[in-house]
Amino acid sequence: MYALVDMDAFYVSVELQRRPELRGRPVVVAGSGPRAVVTTASYEARRFGVFSATPAERARRLCPDAVFIPPDFDHYRARSREVMAVLRAHVDRVEVVGLDEAYLDLSGLERHRAAARRVKAAVREATGLTCSVGVGPSKLVAKVASDLEKPDGFTELTAGEARRRFAGSSPAVVPGIGPKTVARLEDLGVATLGALAAVSDTRLCEWFGPRLGPYLGRLARFEDTRGFETARVAKSESRETTFDHDLHGLPQLEAALRRLVGELCTTLGRQERRGRTIGIKVRFSDFATVTRARTLDEAVNDIGTVSAVALDLLRRLGPRRPVRLLGVRVAGLAEGRRAAPAARDDQLSLSV
DNA sequence: TCTGGGGTCCTAGGACCC
DNA sequence: TCTGGGGTCCTAGGACCC
């Protein structure tokens, strides 16, 4: 039995603790530049149609009275650690999914439902923050259950209940079925999860291939055999920026790339992490995105090497159009570290 | 409505080796 | 002279998640 703990409007809730006078008002955490997007919106702001990833400019138009707060990720990370510490104090096995989300493995516990309730109360007690909790026989069911009664919700579902409950819903309610897949399904005449669950594997294979097809069918039936991973080792780390105004020409781009490399290597150096693959990412004004990468014989993290490779990749790419985003990435980080071959937990595959 | 930043995994094709 | 199959590593792009 598993639970998913999802903090309610996490960044906004954390900000409201620092500025309680804003409670009850529409509050939006968003950057300030012309291309910023909303990171989190309070439930009051959501009523105006402002959600995560809404362009900040548009959010201002939709909700002129909203209070806009610039994100403070260092603070959110610190508060997140508090939350996760509470979870770990109650449950042995915790899988952290993001700053505001974690799965709990309730297997060892008798009366798992009561246990999950206690954890929810403890989070509020210790941090003053509310969360929504879903409980179910798999991570997938726990996750969709947690979405059912936000905010401050608590929902337990069996797989069968989930199937009946969501049979008429868009396949998009299932994490793993994104906008592209939803659109393809619609074109194929499959508009609901119930309909998807009823499509034969043969047909799904024809439509989506031998792996993705059956996988979608399993998702629609809420069959999920994913394992549980309590410790993750990052495999790559990157820095990227979208410019307030598009950049033109190599000199400008090189300067920006050097800055990004500097930031990235500083972080990697501090943590003594190295990677063999160095990559860049370039997004043009029309949003077309290209990546280039090169793998070296040895893992590196020094500014000299990483800049040399990144700049060479950039020059060879020789972007001739206006560039809106530039990024740099070091991958293959986990390799040298003998990260215990953690119970390999096949994402898409699983247990056939 | 012109679309952030930081990640993960999958796929397809080519190189290379046995 | 041509044919071959399997395995691994790498690159690039795409879909998705928080």
Side-chain angles (χ1 to χ4, degrees), chain A residues 1 29 33 41 59 69 83 87 109 131 137 148 158 172 226-227 236 241 251 261 273 280-281 290 317 323 333 341:
Chain A
M1 199 58 72
V29 174
I69 300 177
V83 171
L87 302 183
L109 291 63
C131 56
L148 234 29
T158 65
R226 280 176 300 171
S236 71
T241 13
V261 169
R273 292 188 296 154
I280 62 165
K281 171 167 152 185
V290 296
L317 181 61
V323 170
L333 294 174

Side-chain angles (χ1 to χ4, degrees), chain A residues 6 8 15 58 67 75 83 96 134 152 164 170 179 181 191 207-208 226 231 277 295 324:
Chain A
D6 185 348
D8 299 319
E15 292 293 352
R58 176 168 150 78
V67 179
H75 188 236
V83 171
V96 177
D152 204 16
R164 288 189 284 279
S170 160
T181 306
W207 289 345
F208 293 98
R226 280 176 300 171
T277 302
T295 298
R324 69 174 283 140

Side-chain angles (χ1 to χ4, degrees), chain A residues 92-352:
Chain A
D92 288 341
R93 284 161 51 79
V94 175
E95 178 175 330
V96 177
V97 187
L99 291 184
D100 68 336
E101 249 186 69
Y103 287 102
L104 312 179
D105 181 354
L106 305 175
S107 305
L109 291 63
E110 48 213 276
R111 303 181 56 232
H112 54 262
R113 187 188 171 88
R117 286 242 183 234
R118 277 199 300 278
V119 174
K120 179 170 155 67
V123 168
R124 181 169 210 159
E125 171 74 25
T127 67
L129 298 166
T130 65
C131 56
S132 295
V133 175
V135 178
S138 64
K139 294 203 287 191
L140 176 56
V141 174
K143 169 76 179 167
V144 297
S146 77
D147 282 326
L148 234 29
E149 285 181 38
K150 288 184 175 178
D152 204 16
F154 187 97
T155 309
E156 178 171 6
L157 244 42
T158 65
E161 285 165 348
R163 281 175 74 161
R164 288 189 284 279
R165 197 88 179 236
F166 294 101
S169 305
S170 160
V173 300
V174 170
I177 303 184
K180 301 283 180 183
T181 306
V182 169
R184 282 185 63 189
L185 285 168
E186 261 168 36
D187 289 344
L188 292 160
V190 177
T192 64
L193 263 190
L196 178 56
V199 178
S200 73
D201 268 6
T202 315
R203 179 130 302 181
L204 287 171
C205 285
E206 289 167 19
W207 289 345
F208 293 98
R211 279 169 68 83
L212 185 55
Y215 173 68
L216 293 174
R218 289 196 292 278
L219 286 180
R221 294 185 296 271
F222 291 94
E223 296 165 10
D224 172 22
T225 58
R226 280 176 300 171
F228 205 84
E229 223 180 316
T230 51
R232 296 188 178 188
V233 185
K235 295 174 178 172
S236 71
E237 184 146 338
S238 62
R239 291 292 180 276
E240 65 182 54
T241 13
T242 293
F243 307 111
D244 287 351
H245 305 284
D246 294 347
L247 258 42
H248 299 262
L250 215 44
Q252 283 191 25
L253 292 169
E254 288 186 3
L257 190 55
R258 283 180 208 277
R259 260 190 294 112
L260 291 166
V261 169
E263 285 176 32
L264 180 56
C265 288
T266 301
T267 304
L268 291 177
R270 208 182 318 132
Q271 300 163 358
E272 294 190 12
R273 292 188 296 154
R274 296 175 170 74
R276 283 176 58 214
T277 302
I278 295 159
I280 62 165
K281 171 167 152 185
V282 177
R283 175 126 74 209
F284 296 102
S285 48
D286 66 355
F287 227 71
T289 306
V290 296
T291 59
R292 291 292 181 271
R294 184 177 305 157
T295 298
L296 311 177
D297 289 337
E298 289 193 5
V300 298
N301 66 5
D302 62 290
I303 293 198
T305 310
V306 177
S307 328
V309 174
L311 288 169
D312 186 55
L313 291 170
L314 179 66
R315 289 176 192 135
R316 284 168 190 265
L317 181 61
R320 316 202 74 81
R321 288 182 283 160
V323 170
R324 69 174 283 140
L325 172 149
L326 192 58
V328 62
R329 182 173 104 104
V330 173
L333 294 174
E335 285 172 7
R337 329 187 74 227
R338 276 294 135 260
R344 179 84 180 92
D345 164 52
D346 271 340
Q347 183 79 338
L348 197 147
S349 68
L350 42 3
S351 87
V352 195

